[in-house]
């Protein structure tokens, strides 16, 4: 829980770096415009902590709070202070106000202030460490701070930062990208305030050289989810651990397309198969909260605390097929692996559904087949699907219809 | 500059201390003052009590061992006395008569079966008479060691030996000399009985006590150290007086020589068994100490937590009250400020009223051009009123505490504009001596408005009627200096010392907060305030503000 003292500590930390902001926050804290919940220790329904800024509830993610101390509190205070300053500036500005535009400007000002503050903190730390190799990093951070136009979120599929393209929700285009470090992306990360992926963590990835293991799902130039992997190396073993994953689902107040988590795992699966082939297995440490999700996409529990990836299942197969369909120059061995998965999916359709769960998984499998038969699908996948459907047409009642549709689309 | 910054930081820290840190310090201090004496006194008492108890336990054990040794000695002495009595009262010829020795044997064992057998042996070692369970009548002891020794001494107690019966035993022999030569009355001591006597040290169940001879051979069996007639590990068997005590591997060994026979009496007891009661006391003491310490820690933490929480809560309330007080004072001064504003509004309304009356008259006469002119006049007065209201509210509305670029001359001009009517009403002449070419100051505009408002109202209140206020702004090395000088009553030297103290006032209606708030604001903004005054001649308030905040 956040105590008054923690708030004060966060404000004093800001004061040390920026006395002007520190003064404002101190004044507001003194006047209880920044305050802790009463009774103390009260937490958000989701288990997160919060405090009040001008009577507005400001959530602080529990995991980040425990890992980074008052850093998330500082970040939220900076965002709110930036917003307050911008609000004042807009009120003092002569002429009529466009309220929607003003709201966006206010939010952006807060987020920008926080990101710049975090970058400044990091630069100061790097300069203090005085390591030669950091010089390049410092200049890169300066570029981000100055909002260099070369650094931006990918807009088009052709952008080299885009690794894979797929779909989330019903039919929303989504991009699987290596996290693009730029002012906009960091501001978005600060705005969505997802568990694990706070701005300080993201910037630390740059320092630790783990930025290449950080990926995001981008929908219409908005980040909707993050995934971070870690490699575990032993003498004759290299494993890839799914360290953190977080999506906007259940966090945002706005409607969010479904299947972002599956999309991110599919992206990692594609990476594993296409680019990091020396990795023997893909696993994750205990994630009791999301056990059902992991089991539904093909993870199987190992020991008491680990899940290992066995074979793609359920929606993950569909996501992989869509990503693979959008890929040019797939290696033959990957095509083979995916066709094997498709075969398995079609074979699973031979069994009739006995309950709702089976019915649902059957529906997902049919969706996967449909993806293989869609115009523009990889010819190898379509061929495999048709062959298998023909083979089991007696046992799969939907096969006739599926083949018919495919034939019509070919005409 | 750095001094100002440090003052600013210190001010912020004093303003809201880290209560958890205070709590930790209090807890550590309270625990130290309560636990250290407890440990010292408890430890001292523990050391003293345990030393006394140890000493007492060992003394009582020593007494017990000594008395047991005496009992063994006495047993051997009594048995020897029995044999002496028999040999003195019965002659050899009587002893060897059939049935006599059996009768003597039975009589000796009547009270205590301490002998196994009894025999009369002549000077050549041959058995003259024998009573006992063994067939020894035909045996000759001429070459036996005990016989040799018995012939030399009148009384002899042998070491344990197997003898003709091939069983470990020892004998007591009494020599008697008659006209026919010497003869010996010999008795074998009941080994089982003697063993029990030696091994059972009263009160010490877990002990091991045994006898060894000069060569370290077991004379009685030991529970732990070895069997009868085996070689023991006891060395250095020179004779000594009293009890020797030594400790090895947690075993306390006490040794002492018997008086009647050259045997060493050995008692071995586990240290834990000797001090078992003491250990129980230690455990109990430790438990009481831990419980006490736990209660102290618990009480200290609980009460400190409660106290600090109350402190934190109260401090927080004080902040809010301070804020409210400041706000109240600000509103009070704003009310004073509003007199001029209301007067302006009143003038405006009066002008509108006159114009409206004119319009009514002109309407009757249908003079449209003049009506239009008067309507324009009403509109212009309404606009003037609106502007005055905007200016006033913009000035007094509490802004957010944000550091921005502040134009000091601008703030002073805005304030003077609001007070224009009031100055004219009170016939106060305002002189401005502004320097215009200095940069803006990074500060909190709303707090500075409050600050200057208080100072100007203070100057006006000092003048009351007919006077002059001079406003000077100057750029100095690292900031701006604002001097507000009035030619009012001035401040006495005595009052000058307390003028910035909270609740200090010389005015009957004053709150005594105005100047203390000014000081407070400037401290927070990194500035300073001073005053120069001479009674009857007026006062000058000098405000210094840095260009850059912090």
């Amino acid at each position: 829980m956040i105590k008054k003292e923690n708030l004060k500590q966060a404000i004093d930390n800001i004061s040390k770096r920026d006395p002007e902001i520190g003064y404002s926050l101190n004044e507001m804290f003194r006047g209880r415009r920044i305050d802790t919940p009463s009774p103390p220790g009260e937490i958000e329904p989701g288990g997160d902590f919060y405090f009040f800024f001008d009577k507005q509830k400001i959530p602080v993610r529990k995991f980040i709070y425990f890992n980074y101390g008052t850093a998330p509190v500082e970040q939220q205070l900076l965002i709110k202070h930036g917003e307050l300053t911008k609000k004042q500036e807009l009120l003092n500005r002569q002429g009529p106000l466009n309220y929607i535009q003003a709201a966006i400007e206010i939010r952006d000002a807060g987020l920008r202030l926080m990101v710049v503050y975090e970058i400044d903190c990091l630069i100061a730390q790097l300069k203090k460490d005085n390591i030669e190799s950091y010089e390049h990093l410092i200049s890169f951070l300066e570029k981000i701070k100055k909002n260099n136009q070369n650094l931006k979120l990918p807009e088009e599929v052709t952008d080299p930062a885009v690794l894979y393209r797929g779909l989330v929700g019903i039919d929303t285009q989504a991009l699987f990208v290596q996290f693009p470090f730029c002012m906009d992306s960091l501001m978005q990360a600060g705005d969505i305030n997802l568990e694990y992926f706070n701005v300080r963590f993201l910037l630390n990835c740059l320092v630790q050289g783990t930025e290449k293991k950080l990926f995001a799902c981008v929908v219409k130039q908005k980040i909707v989810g993050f995934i971070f992997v870690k490699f575990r190396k032993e003498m004759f073993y290299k494993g890839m651990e799914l360290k953190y994953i977080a999506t906007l689902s259940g966090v945002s107040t706005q409607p969010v397309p479904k299947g972002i988590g599956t999309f991110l795992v599919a992206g990692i699966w594609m990476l594993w198969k296409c680019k990091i082939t020396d990795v023997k297995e893909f696993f994750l440490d205990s994630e009791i909260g999301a056990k059902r999700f992991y089991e539904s996409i093909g993870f199987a529990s190992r020991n008491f605390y680990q899940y290992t990836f066995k074979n793609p299942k359920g929606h993950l197969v569909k996501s992989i097929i869509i990503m693979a369909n959008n890929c040019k120059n797939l290696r033959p061995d990957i095509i083979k692996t995916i066709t094997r998965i498709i075969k398995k999916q079609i074979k699973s359709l031979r069994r009739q559904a006995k309950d709702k769960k089976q019915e649902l998984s059957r529906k997902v499998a049919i969706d996967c087949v449909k993806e293989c038969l869609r115009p523009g699908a990889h010819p190898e996948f379509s061929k495999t699907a048709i062959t298998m459907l023909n083979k089991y047409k007696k046992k799969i009642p939907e096969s006739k219809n599926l083949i018919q549709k495919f034939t019509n689309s070919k005409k | 500059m750095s001094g100002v910054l440090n003052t600013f930081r210190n001010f912020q820290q004093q303003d809201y201390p880290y209560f958890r840190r205070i709590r930790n310090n209090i807890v550590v201090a309270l625990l130290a003052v309560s636990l250290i004496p407890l440990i010292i006194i408890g430890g001292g008492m523990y050391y003293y009590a345990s030393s006394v108890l140890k000493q007492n336990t060992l003394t009582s054990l020593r007494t017990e061992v000594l008395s047991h040794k005496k009992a063994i000695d006495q047993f051997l002495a009594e048995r020897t006395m029995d044999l002496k009595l028999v040999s003195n009262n019965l002659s050899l010829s009587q002893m060897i008569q059939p049935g006599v020795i059996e009768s003597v044997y039975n009589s000796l064992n009547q009270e205590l079966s301490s002998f196994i057998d009894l025999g009369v042996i002549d000077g050549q070692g041959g058995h003259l008479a024998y009573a006992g369970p063994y067939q020894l009548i035909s045996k000759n002891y001429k070459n036996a060691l005990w016989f040799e020794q018995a012939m030399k001494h009148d009384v002899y107690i042998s070491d344990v030996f197997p003898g003709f019966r091939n069983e470990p035993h020892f004998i007591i022999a009494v020599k008697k000399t008659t006209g026919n030569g010497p003869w010996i009355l010999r008795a074998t001591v009941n080994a089982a009985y003697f063993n029990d006597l030696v091994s059972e040290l009263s009160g010490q169940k877990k002990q091991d006590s045994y006898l060894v001879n000069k060569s370290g051979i077991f004379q009685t069996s030991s529970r732990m150290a070895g069997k009868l007639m085996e070689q023991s590990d006891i060395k250095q068997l020179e004779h000594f007086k009293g009890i020797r005590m030594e400790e090895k591997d947690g075993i306390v060994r006490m040794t002492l020589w018997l008086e009647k026979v050259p045997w060493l009496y050995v008692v071995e007891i586990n240290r834990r068994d000797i001090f078992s009661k003491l250990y129980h006391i230690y455990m109990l003491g430790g438990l009481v100490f831990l419980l006490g310490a736990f209660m102290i820690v618990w009480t200290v933490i609980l009460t400190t937590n409660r106290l600090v929480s109350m402190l934190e809560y109260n401090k927080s309330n004080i902040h809010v009250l301070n804020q409210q007080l400041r706000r109240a004072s600000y509103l009070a001064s704003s009310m004073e400020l509003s007199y001029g504003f209301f007067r302006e509004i009143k003038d405006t309304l009066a002008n509108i009223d006159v114009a409206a009356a004119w319009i009514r008259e002109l309407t009757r006469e249908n003079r449209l051009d003049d009506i239009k002119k008067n309507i324009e006049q009403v509109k212009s007065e309404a606009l003037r009123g609106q502007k005055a209201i905007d200016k006033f509210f913009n000035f007094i509305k509490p802004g957010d505490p944000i550091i921005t670029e502040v134009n000091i001359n601008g703030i002073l001009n805005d304030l003077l504009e609001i007070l224009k009517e009031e100055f004219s009403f009170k016939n106060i002449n305002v002189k401005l001596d502004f320097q215009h070419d200095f940069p803006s100051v990074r500060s909190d505009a709303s707090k500075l408005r409050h600050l200057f408002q208080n100072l100007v109202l203070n100057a006006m209140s000092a003048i009351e009627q007919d006077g002059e206020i001079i406003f000077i702004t100057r750029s100095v090395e690292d900031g701006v200096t604002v001097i507000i000088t009035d030619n009012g009553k001035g401040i006495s030297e005595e009052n000058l010392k307390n003028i910035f103290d909270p609740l200090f006032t010389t005015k009957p209606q004053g709150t005594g907060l105005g100047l203390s708030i000014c000081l407070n604001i400037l401290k927070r903004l990194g500035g300073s305030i001073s005053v120069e005054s001479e009674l009857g001649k007026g006062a000058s308030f000098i405000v210094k503000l840095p260009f850059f905040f912090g």
Side-chain angles (χ1 to χ4, degrees), chain B residues 377-391:
Chain B
Q377 174 75 17
V378 169
K379 270 181 81 177
S380 138
E381 284 300 322
L383 201 68
R384 186 181 141 210
Q386 211 174 343
K387 271 184 183 171
I389 291 170
D390 281 349
K391 205 177 283 175

Side-chain angles (χ1 to χ4, degrees), chain A residues 7 143 165 167 181 216 221 266 281 285 289 301 313 359 380:
Chain A
L7 283 176
K143 263 187 197 171
R165 184 162 60 97
L167 295 176
F181 281 91
Q221 281 209 285
E281 63 170 358
D285 270 340
S301 61
K313 262 169 60 180
E359 207 172 292
E380 204 61 40

Side-chain angles (χ1 to χ4, degrees), chain B residues 64 88 125 159 172 189 197 228 239 241 270 393 433 440 547:
Chain B
E64 212 173 306
N88 285 339
D159 283 350
I172 302 172
V189 176
L197 178 73
L228 198 62
H239 198 274
K241 279 185 177 177
N270 197 317
F393 282 115
D433 180 5
S440 307
F547 283 129

Side-chain angles (χ1 to χ4, degrees), chain B residues 417-434:
Chain B
E417 181 68 25
I418 287 169
L419 287 167
K420 193 172 64 186
E421 290 290 320
E422 193 65 7
F423 286 139
S424 129
F425 181 73
K426 289 189 172 174
N427 196 24
I428 295 171
N429 184 29
V430 176
K431 266 192 185 172
L432 301 180
D433 180 5
F434 287 171

Side-chain angles (χ1 to χ4, degrees), chain B residues 367-383:
Chain B
R367 289 161 59 184
L368 280 175
D369 286 347
D370 290 337
I371 290 170
K372 271 182 190 168
K373 270 184 198 168
N374 277 286
I375 287 172
E376 283 305 312
Q377 174 75 17
V378 169
K379 270 181 81 177
S380 138
E381 284 300 322
L383 201 68

